[in-house]
Amino acid sequence: MIDVLFIHSPMILYKDQADAAHFKAHGGDEKSLYPLGILYIAACLEKKGHSVKVIDVAAENKTLEDILSSIALEKPRIIGISSMTTSIHSAVSLAKSIRSRFGNDILIGLGGVHMCCDPTFLKRMPYFDFGITGEAEKTFVEVVEKVKEGKKVQGVILGEAYEDLDDIPFPARHLINAGIYKRDEQMKFEVPTAGILGSRGCPYGCSFCCIPAIGQKVRLRSAKNIVDEMESVYDLCQGQYNFNDDCMTLSKKHTLEFCQELIERKLKMRWIASTRANALDEEMVRALKRAGCTDLYFGVESGSEKIRNSVIKKKVTDEQIAKAVALCRKHRILSNLFLMVGFPGETKEDMLKTVHIGTKVKADVVGIHITMPLPGTEIFEYAVKKSMLPADIIDRYARGEMGRGFRDVWPLFVPEGFTLQDLIDIKIKTYRSFYINFFWILRRIRTWFILPKKFKDDLKLFKIAIYVFVKGGTKGQLS
Ligand code: B12
Ligand code: SF4
């Protein structure tokens, strides 16, 4: 018997192996990064002597039958299901199936981003005994201790976050098979990358983003604590890391300290991170490069400053974007722009600015998505208010009434006067005009000489690129 079994719920839960044969047709789940949230809670539980196991359903290709068999074998006291909105249908199906197979013997809890964005969910879906909103490292330990003392735990509990992130033990990576997390399935990269979280929270409030609903206060781990963790998993990931931070370079002082710590340890580490164009200057970019940063991802969203700042509330100017990308180019860090299309009031002219911004600032990579209005965001509230989304969409999705596979069924935001096909055409136009461009090809060839690994990666991506140029997205990823 174990104390806790965590289940990372997938976007699509397959009944059995025959059902899973459809997996490829749906484009599947991302399996590149492991569920850090669960592993952090697991580490806290283990520190207090509680026994824990983890099933990452998509990464381990587990079906519902496999999960139920594991539960029968492990006999957990508590099952903790972690879910974003994308996987909330699977989370509900799992809870229902566990209930019907094992009755009320096992306590079932729900946590993760969906609970933060929709805290009344449990009232509408009473298949879970309890739920925790927000960060759960402290609170889940308390729940387990109460249960072990024979006390009753029920309903929604507000998670109490750690003020000092250095007090949280490193994620319990030994509970997963870290070797299976190797970027996107389709890309078949050989080396697993370690997900690392150097900070939590973001002070901005972009209208398409769930961070304001998650409501985390910004906290930074000390440079030493982050690098100690990186060093501890060095062999596992062969020195390759992916920072999951919402915005990595919020504090200049902290960024420089972190880079210095990495440089002093003289370990060959390569890492990528997301940040904002207004949160960088030359001193920082130089330090990032010396510390092993190879790629920076910028949330640019719209090429139109008007949409970016008055609708999305990004608070980043065109000038800041051009400057940040130029600094990256100068110091040989690859700049990746995240773009989006589909916002209230967006015109054809605004969309064309988005099509061209990557070429204009000479970025290395662009990726464009059609806005998905998700619970916990301003854009979701707007879409419901304007009857662009049914008010009960979450429950319909959670009950499986909208069909399987989040990406195939969750509506995208199509501004008035446009069709979905118009937005897909904008995506195709963006990809074609950016990548089928003489100057971009020249820049890329130069990159292959500087970073030969990128040549290998690009060869693998070539097939996907053709698909994207024709269809506007990879399978199941038109958003
Ligand atoms: C890294 C990341 C990814 C990675 C890996 C995700 C993973 N394996 O967990 C990848 C790239 C695969 C990814 C993909 C997507 N992501 Co993402 N991602 C993130 C990001 C930036 C960080 C996640 C993280 O590591 N958090 C750190 C840990 C410590 O926090 P946590 O996971 O929330 O866990 C804490 C609590 O939630 C709670 N908890 C967690 N699990 C459980 C379980 C129980 C039982 C309990 C009680 C508590 C509990 O306690 C934990 C510890 O404090 C977040 C932004 C964010 N700040 O959350 C977006 C975020 C989660 N992603 C988001 C989105 C939209 C997506 C995509 C749909 C994007 C897309 N269009 O393709 C896909 C969907 C993938 C899928 N399979 O469903 C949204 C989710 C919105 C929503 N309402 O669900 C977020 C919030 C981004 C945003 N700013 O809006 N993502
Ligand atoms: S999109 Fe980025 S900058 Fe904006 S609120 Fe979300 S995490 Fe912060």
Side-chain angles (χ1 to χ4, degrees), residues 6 8 11 29-30 32-38 40-41 80-87 109-114 116-117 130-132 134-137 140 197 200 208-211 214 216 244-246 369 372 374-375 406-407 479:
F6 280 113
H8 187 217
M11 274 201 264
D29 256 294
E30 286 98 342
S32 56
L33 292 173
Y34 31 73
L36 273 182
I38 286 178
Y40 267 119
I41 307 172
I81 302 179
S82 179
S83 183
M84 294 187 197
T85 299
T86 49
S87 46
L110 178 68
V113 171
H114 186 76
C116 304
C117 296
F130 72 97
I132 300 179
E135 294 173 37
E137 282 94 344
F140 204 99
L197 198 64
R200 296 191 187 186
F208 68 91
C209 177
C210 298
I211 297 300
I214 296 173
Q216 283 171 330
N244 283 15
D245 303 36
D246 298 310
H369 295 272
M372 229 179 219
L374 288 172
F406 179 78
R407 296 189 201 283
S479 67

Side-chain angles (χ1 to χ4, degrees), residues 148-159:
K148 282 180 143 180
E149 284 163 17
K151 292 184 185 151
K152 197 173 153 95
V153 174
Q154 206 168 27
V156 178
I157 309 163
L158 186 67

